[in-house]
């Protein structure tokens, strides 16, 4: 575990038996992160120019990002302490606001960049939301003490978010948040009302049920649900006291937490899945917001277990360097985790986790005794048909796995090409203990068809259904294999995939349709490193001819170097392939060959008999039907 460059209070194992952490640890962490970041401010305090590779938006935008995202930490810290500000953080942010808006748009040492359309490096629109929320949270101690001219300049800059076009996803909640602040200080008008209603209308379009939103018009389901699509409207309702908004979006947040709370491992790690993972412990923002607002199905001790566990997990694993700065990556630096829009200040959207500090010291979130996380309870299997996800949690090792049969990162208007294949969405499975391999390495947890030397990618995912019963569950999807070399697709080529889970086992059944002559199918398992606590196994049950281990020299976010199992078989026309996979931290797990007592394949139907209790899993295609029963 990595030592921290700033001090923390002593652990309290009486009230926090799982993490040892209290509210004081959260305040100390916020202060430590802020102190380190402020060493890189410009003289006028308008920009925090943190060291590191610049984002595609440029260093001036990155400097604003440093100011805005750390302001969010300071605002939660001070507002949660009812205005107590022992380090005078708000004085610095007030100075920066004054300097940054004085001549906004000018190319000088302090001026903030203007907010423009997302197509012309519109990153300042993202940061405007953090500035607005920070001002709203700290109004009595910052905004109300500014002179009128500075307030007017700040409003003029913020209104750029209302007058320009956001990206077609969660970005619409940035002008929503700006408008909410302006209305809260008596500066609302028809323009702010339109921005708010536009965002609320889009949320109705993007809501798919079971507490899950798509991040835009496609099928991107990821951590943006928690740290954006739920956080902004529920926080707005909490601050404004809007009962109607609170009832609608609070209920959705509560339902989201029913499933999302299971996606943290017993070690505190959130699911390694989706983009912007460098925001790290921001994954706990939805849990904290639920506890603060009261819109949560979780007991206070469970909520604290999750948020404190996640924060501690990252702080102990190199997310903060010796200089006290959050670095770009997952544990430590990791380029494959990053997107092109990430810059040196991007990790500070982790600030959203500090929403938990809005719960005062006497709140049950901090006074209740910690309780086990959902992943520390009995084995769980939970299907989510709306997003097309299947969650599998095992108590023996505290590992949680997410089987993906519905979330991709392809917009409806985009074509399917191998160029847009995204390892953070395209894999069949993700976990709290492993990450996907890099694009240049062999893809983990993937079914590929190799034609003429070119391996296919999985890009757009079409869900076919999901369900669960007592101790088991399933999810299914189909995709069109796309290729980087030669023809991008082959006529009639299609892959239908079903995952059935029980215990630590994953039954993977694929039906390949229209495979050209000379094709070869390959299936890979989990990628793990030589020092990982988890082990990966993959065993062919039907149709597979060969097994080998493949190296991934670029490793994953969890290991510098990885290896993954791979099955292979020649295929042509219609083929049915069945395999058993496992990822476990159990010591000396039994080989997969002993888990199944029999396999029967009849046309497009496969029946698998389990050795432990004699139960039978049946998967049929055309029509798709998945059942599991005792004999």
């Amino acid at each position: 575990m990595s030592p921290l460059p700033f001090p923390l209070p002593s652990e309290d194992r009486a009230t926090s038996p799982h993490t040892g952490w209290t509210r004081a640890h959260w305040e100390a962490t916020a202060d430590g992160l802020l102190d380190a970041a402020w060493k890189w401010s410009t003289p006028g305090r308008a920009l925090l120019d943190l060291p590191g590779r610049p984002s595609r938006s440029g260093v001036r935008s990155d400097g604003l990002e440093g100011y805005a995202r750390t302001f969010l930490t300071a605002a939660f810290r001070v507002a949660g302490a009812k205005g107590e500000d022992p380090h005078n953080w708000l004085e610095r942010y007030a100075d920066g606001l004054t300097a940054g808006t004085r001549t906004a748009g000018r190319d000088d040492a302090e001026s903030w960049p203007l907010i423009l359309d997302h197509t012309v490096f519109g990153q300042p629109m993202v940061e405007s939301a953090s500035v607005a929320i920070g001002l709203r949270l700290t109004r009595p101690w910052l905004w109300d003490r500014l002179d009128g001219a500075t307030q007017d300049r700040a409003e003029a800059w913020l209104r750029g978010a209302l007058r320009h076009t956001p990206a077609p996803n969660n970005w619409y909640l940035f002008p929503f948040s700006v408008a909410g602040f302006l209305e809260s200080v008596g500066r609302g008008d028809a323009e702010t009302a339109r921005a708010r209603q536009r965002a609320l209308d889009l949320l109705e379009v993007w809501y798919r049920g079971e507490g899950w939103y798509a991040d835009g018009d496609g099928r991107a389901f990821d951590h943006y649900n928690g740290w954006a699509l739920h956080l902004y409207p529920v926080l707005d309702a909490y601050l404004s006291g809007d009962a109607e908004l609170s009832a609608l979006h609070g209920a959705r947040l509560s339902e989201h937490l029913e499933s999302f709370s299971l996606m943290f491992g017993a070690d505190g790690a959130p699911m390694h899945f989706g983009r912007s993972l460098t925001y790290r412990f921001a994954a706990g923002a939805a849990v904290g917001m639920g506890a603060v607002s009261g819109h949560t199905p979780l007991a206070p001790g469970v909520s604290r277990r999750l948020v404190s566990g996640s924060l501690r997990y990252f702080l102990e694993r190199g997310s903060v360097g010796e200089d006290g700065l959050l670095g770009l990556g997952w544990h430590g630096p990791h380029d494959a985790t990053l997107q092109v829009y990430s810059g040196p200040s991007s990790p500070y959207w982790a600030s959203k986790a500090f929403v938990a500090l809005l719960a005062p010291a006497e709140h049950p979130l901090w006074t209740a005794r910690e309780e086990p996380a959902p992943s520390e309870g009995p084995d769980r299997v939970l299907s989510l048909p709306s997003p097309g996800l299947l969650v599998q949690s095992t108590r023996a090792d505290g590992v949680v796995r997410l089987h993906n049969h519905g979330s991709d990162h392809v917009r409806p208007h985009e074509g399917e090409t191998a160029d847009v294949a995204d390892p953070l969405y395209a894999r069949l499975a993700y976990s709290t203990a492993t990450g996907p391999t890099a694009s240049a390495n062999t893809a983990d947890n993937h079914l590929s068809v190799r034609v003429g030397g070119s391996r296919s990618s999985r890009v757009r995912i079409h869900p076919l259904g999901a369900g669960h019963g007592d101790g088991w569950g399933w999810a299914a999807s189909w995709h069109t294999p796309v290729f980087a070399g030669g023809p991008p697709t082959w006529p009639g080529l299609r892959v239908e995939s079903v995952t059935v889970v029980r215990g630590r086992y994953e039954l993977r059944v694929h039906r390949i349709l229209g495979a050209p002559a000379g094709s070869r199918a390959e299936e890979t398992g989990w990628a793990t490193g030589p020092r990982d606590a988890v082990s990966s196994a993959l065993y062919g049950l039907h149709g597979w001819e060969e097994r080998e281990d493949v190296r991934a020299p670029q490793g994953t976010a969890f290991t510098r170097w990885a290896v993954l199992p791979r099955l292979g078989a020649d295929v042509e026309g219609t083929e049915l392939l069945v395999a058993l996979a496992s990822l476990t931290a159990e010591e000396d797990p039994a080989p997969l060959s002993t888990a199944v007592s029999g396999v029967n394949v009849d046309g497009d139907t496969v029946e698998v008999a389990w050795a432990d209790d004699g139960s039978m899993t049946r998967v049929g295609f055309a029509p798709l039907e998945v059942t599991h029963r005792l004999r």
Side-chain angles (χ1 to χ4, degrees):
M1 300 301 177
S2 302
L4 288 178
F6 47 80
L8 293 177
S10 299
E11 292 185 358
D12 180 354
R13 291 287 173 175
T15 59
S16 300
H18 296 275
T19 69
W21 276 36
T22 65
R23 194 177 191 280
H25 288 80
W26 280 77
E27 290 184 326
T29 299
D31 290 336
L33 293 174
L34 289 169
D35 181 66
W38 267 100
K39 290 180 171 62
W40 301 91
S41 73
T42 52
R45 298 178 166 179
L47 306 172
L48 271 65
D49 291 325
L50 304 185
R53 70 160 216 198
S55 74
R56 67 180 180 186
S57 297
V59 294
R60 180 170 298 277
S61 176
D62 292 345
L64 169 64
E65 188 172 68
Y67 172 96
R69 298 190 178 195
T70 60
F71 183 25
L72 202 54
T73 297
F76 287 134
R77 164 76 168 94
V78 175
K82 301 177 182 178
E84 292 184 15
D85 187 7
H87 301 282
N88 294 317
W89 299 127
L90 297 192
E91 178 184 330
R92 307 184 195 201
Y93 288 100
D95 290 346
L97 180 72
T98 300
T101 59
R102 184 175 292 117
T103 53
R106 181 179 293 180
D107 186 14
D108 58 29
E110 302 289 345
S111 296
W112 288 354
L114 297 175
I115 300 171
L116 302 174
D117 291 345
H118 79 98
T119 55
V120 285
F121 297 118
Q123 187 66 27
M125 185 181 293
V126 181
E127 310 319 319
S128 71
S130 294
V131 173
I133 293 172
L135 290 172
R136 189 172 184 180
L137 288 165
T138 63
R139 176 183 175 179
W141 315 289
L142 199 165
W143 177 262
D144 288 349
R145 298 180 182 181
L146 296 174
D147 62 81
T150 301
Q151 290 179 342
D152 291 344
R153 291 198 306 270
E155 177 187 354
W157 182 80
L158 286 168
R159 281 190 179 270
L162 311 182
R163 297 167 181 170
H164 290 88
T165 305
N169 53 21
N170 69 89
W171 276 43
Y172 276 86
L173 290 167
F174 304 144
F176 169 86
S177 299
V178 168
F181 162 67
L182 292 175
E183 291 184 355
S184 74
V185 294
R187 292 175 179 245
D189 54 20
E191 189 172 52
T192 61
R194 282 196 300 272
R196 289 177 59 77
Q197 192 59 51
R198 177 182 62 180
L200 294 174
D201 289 344
L202 284 172
L203 285 176
E204 296 309 301
V205 175
W206 297 337
Y207 187 67
R208 305 299 173 83
E210 298 175 284
W212 286 84
Y213 290 95
D215 188 16
D217 288 345
R219 291 195 57 85
F221 301 98
D222 52 29
H223 284 292
Y224 276 86
N225 264 266
W227 63 45
L229 295 158
H230 284 291
L231 178 67
Y232 288 117
V234 176
L235 178 60
D236 181 273
Y238 175 77
L239 295 175
S240 67
D242 186 325
E244 183 177 356
L245 189 66
S246 178
L248 173 63
H249 292 280
R252 290 179 179 175
L253 171 60
S254 185
E255 188 172 9
H256 178 68
L257 293 175
E258 289 277 6
S259 57
F260 182 68
S261 62
L262 186 58
M263 299 184 194
F264 291 82
D267 58 1
M271 189 65 61
H272 194 280
F273 172 60
R275 66 189 178 97
S276 300
L277 293 175
T278 195
Y279 303 158
R280 297 180 173 103
F281 47 85
V287 178
M289 188 72 255
V292 167
S293 66
H295 296 295
T296 180
L298 306 174
V302 175
S303 293
R304 186 164 87 257
R305 167 72 180 98
L306 291 173
V307 296
S308 290
S310 179
L311 179 58
R312 181 167 186 166
Y313 172 85
F314 285 108
L315 293 185
E316 292 182 339
R317 288 169 173 79
S319 65
V320 177
E322 294 181 359
D323 55 5
L325 298 177
L326 284 169
L328 283 164
W330 181 246
H331 293 164
H334 185 245
D335 286 345
T337 300
L338 308 179
Q339 280 71 46
V340 294
Y341 53 75
S342 295
S345 298
S346 295
Y348 286 85
W349 238 22
S351 298
K352 294 182 174 186
F354 292 101
V355 70
L357 286 176
L358 292 184
E362 63 274 14
H363 192 284
L365 177 63
W366 307 113
T367 61
R369 181 178 170 86
E370 271 187 352
E371 299 180 39
S375 63
E376 295 175 295
D379 289 3
R380 289 277 305 278
V381 177
L382 179 65
S383 64
L384 298 165
S386 297
L389 304 176
L390 179 66
V391 188
Q392 174 192 19
S393 171
T394 46
R395 181 176 187 172
D397 53 15
V399 176
V400 186
R401 309 143 191 88
L402 182 69
H403 302 279
N404 178 27
H405 288 274
S407 178
D408 57 41
H409 199 222
V410 189
R411 295 173 181 170
H413 65 276
E414 292 178 332
E416 293 187 60
T417 68
D419 295 337
V420 299
D422 191 335
L424 296 169
Y425 294 89
R427 306 294 197 248
L428 285 163
Y430 299 84
S431 85
T432 57
T434 64
T437 54
S439 297
N441 290 178
T442 299
D444 63 294
N445 288 319
H446 178 56
L447 187 287
S448 66
V449 180
R450 195 172 73 190
V451 182
S454 179
R455 289 185 173 90
S456 68
S457 297
R458 182 185 189 224
V459 180
R460 194 183 302 277
I461 301 170
H462 305 267
L464 291 172
H468 64 266
D470 185 13
W472 76 283
W474 67 278
S477 62
W478 69 272
H479 74 276
T480 298
V482 296
F483 298 85
T489 60
W490 285 86
L493 180 59
R494 166 180 168 133
V495 173
E496 298 169 345
S497 302
V498 179
T499 302
V500 182
V501 301
R502 60 188 302 269
R504 68 177 173 96
Y505 301 113
E506 310 157 32
L507 179 66
R508 301 180 179 182
V509 184
H510 304 281
R511 185 171 73 152
I512 299 176
L513 302 170
S519 299
R520 184 168 180 81
E522 295 175 339
E523 166 131 29
T524 54
W526 299 90
T528 58
R531 298 180 181 177
D532 284 358
V534 290
S535 61
S536 169
L538 184 65
Y539 180 70
L541 293 175
H542 174 78
W544 296 108
E545 300 165 352
E546 301 173 2
R547 187 198 178 283
E548 60 184 335
D549 289 328
V550 183
R551 298 160 64 93
Q554 286 182 278
T556 72
F558 293 77
T559 178
R560 293 182 60 188
W561 180 91
V563 64
L564 56 155
R566 182 169 70 188
L567 301 173
D570 295 332
V571 294
E572 182 175 353
T574 298
E575 299 280 357
L576 193 66
L577 302 170
V578 186
L580 195 63
S582 169
L583 175 74
T584 183
E586 295 181 30
E587 292 187 15
D588 299 320
L592 294 183
S593 59
T594 65
V596 171
S597 60
V599 179
N600 180 53
V601 175
D602 182 7
D604 290 331
T605 300
V606 57
E607 291 183 339
V608 174
W610 298 93
D612 57 352
D613 61 1
S615 62
M616 177 76 72
T617 296
R618 183 179 185 275
V619 177
F621 296 89
L624 180 69
E625 184 181 18
V626 183
T627 59
H628 179 81
R629 57 181 174 79
L630 292 173
R631 281 185 168 180

